[in-house]
Amino acid sequence: FTGSAFGSAAIWQYESLKSRVQTYFEEARADWFDKIRPQKRGDFRKQVNSWWNNLTEGQRTVTGIIAANVFVFCLWRLPGMRRIMFTYFTSDPSSRALCSPMLLSTFSHFSLFHMAANMYVLWSFSSSIVSLLGCEQFMAVYLSAGVISSFVSYVAKMATGRFEPSLGA
């Protein structure tokens, strides 16, 4: 998984760079068109755009991770989703689904406080780590760390004989 994550991140990084270069040249040609194009309407939309544009690249990257964690947290609150959530969003070495929960459980939090604390810490160091690694490599590190920690959890559970499900990385 880790090799695939970093390989995909390298391809994603290349494609992002290529896209930025193409966008730069397209914007240079289209500058004159901006002067005659009507402005977008809506105060809420302008506020959201202003907020989004003021975020660092790291904060934009982490916003997606936070959204995924909040979405999964909300799914845990739906009674009809409990069976699916326990099957695919908890790590349990005795489960019939072993691989996908290693990744999906990294987005699971059962306690609001636990999720809020984790997301706050992630938000606080996101700008510096993404500026160091780039958003693509950061995502590879984040996902790989989740899968590796789930694997270590599997090994620890097998060694101790405790096969209860667990959440998180």
Side-chain angles (χ1 to χ4, degrees):
F1 178 83
T2 300
S4 296
F6 280 99
S8 299
I11 293 168
W12 179 20
Q13 200 166 20
Y14 167 77
E15 292 296 329
S16 295
L17 179 62
K18 187 172 94 174
S19 175
R20 278 187 246 150
V21 169
Q22 287 174 344
T23 301
Y24 173 77
F25 286 115
E26 288 171 3
E27 285 177 358
R29 284 187 296 230
D31 257 353
W32 65 272
F33 189 67
D34 287 341
K35 295 175 183 165
I36 61 172
R37 184 176 13 179
Q39 295 296 316
K40 297 176 183 175
R41 294 187 202 191
D43 288 333
F44 178 72
R45 184 176 176 169
K46 286 180 185 177
Q47 290 173 347
V48 170
N49 281 338
S50 174
W51 172 77
W52 184 258
N53 291 331
N54 288 329
L55 294 177
T56 64
E57 184 181 16
Q59 291 170 332
R60 285 188 209 138
T61 303
V62 171
T63 300
I65 295 172
I66 292 172
N69 278 278
V70 168
F71 179 72
V72 171
F73 181 78
C74 291
L75 289 177
W76 273 106
R77 302 298 175 256
L78 299 174
M81 293 296 295
R82 285 284 170 107
R83 187 170 186 210
I84 292 171
M85 298 306 288
F86 273 111
T87 302
Y88 295 105
F89 288 85
T90 59
S91 293
D92 185 2
S94 63
S95 173
R96 60 186 168 92
L98 286 177
C99 294
S100 57
M102 289 176 75
L103 174 64
L104 296 176
S105 70
T106 63
F107 297 97
S108 280
H109 297 84
F110 203 71
S111 160
L112 179 62
F113 177 75
H114 181 221
M115 183 186 66
N118 283 356
M119 296 305 103
Y120 173 75
V121 169
L122 185 63
W123 181 268
S124 67
F125 76 83
S126 64
S127 295
S128 57
I129 195 75
V130 169
S131 68
L132 180 68
L133 298 175
C135 71
E136 301 87 1
Q137 298 299 320
F138 168 75
M139 288 300 295
V141 167
Y142 179 83
L143 295 174
S144 295
V147 169
I148 290 168
S149 64
S150 293
F151 178 74
V152 170
S153 172
Y154 279 6
V155 170
K157 287 177 184 180
M158 296 296 284
T160 61
R162 302 166 92 195
F163 297 112
E164 65 259 357
S166 60
L167 294 170

